[in-house]
Amino acid sequence: MKNEMVAFLKSVEEPVTTREIMEFLSRKGYRPDEAELVRTIKDMPDGMVKKEYDASVVDPSSSVVYKVGPEA
């Protein structure tokens, strides 16, 4: 699942939300819930996935977006 996620992040130019990652993974046969996905991202080596915050969103919990890191 980690390799699929990194491949997806490499294929998109803009940062993506956990929902977009989950939709992509479900098309590949994976069914992680959001908590599992966030744990997987946190467990990846430093630099694989960058976490950013979308300043245009008022609720900070929904403003996290991800993109491929420099070590991917």
Side-chain angles (χ1 to χ4, degrees):
M1 181 170 80
K2 289 179 184 180
N3 292 338
E4 295 286 349
M5 189 181 343
V6 171
F8 171 64
L9 293 172
K10 284 181 177 180
S11 72
V12 295
E13 292 185 23
E14 295 294 319
V16 294
T17 63
T18 51
R19 171 173 277 159
E20 291 168 307
I21 296 171
M22 288 170 52
E23 287 172 4
F24 170 80
L25 291 173
S26 71
R27 291 192 299 269
K28 296 291 185 179
Y30 299 100
R31 302 270 186 246
D33 61 17
E34 190 167 7
E36 180 184 0
L37 180 63
V38 170
R39 273 193 311 275
T40 300
I41 291 170
K42 285 182 180 179
D43 290 343
M44 294 175 95
D46 288 342
M48 282 288 260
V49 177
K50 285 178 57 178
K51 181 168 129 178
E52 299 180 350
Y53 294 93
D54 184 350
S56 66
V57 179
V58 176
D59 179 9
S61 65
S62 64
S63 68
V64 177
V65 292
Y66 299 93
K67 65 188 224 177
V68 72
E71 302 298 318

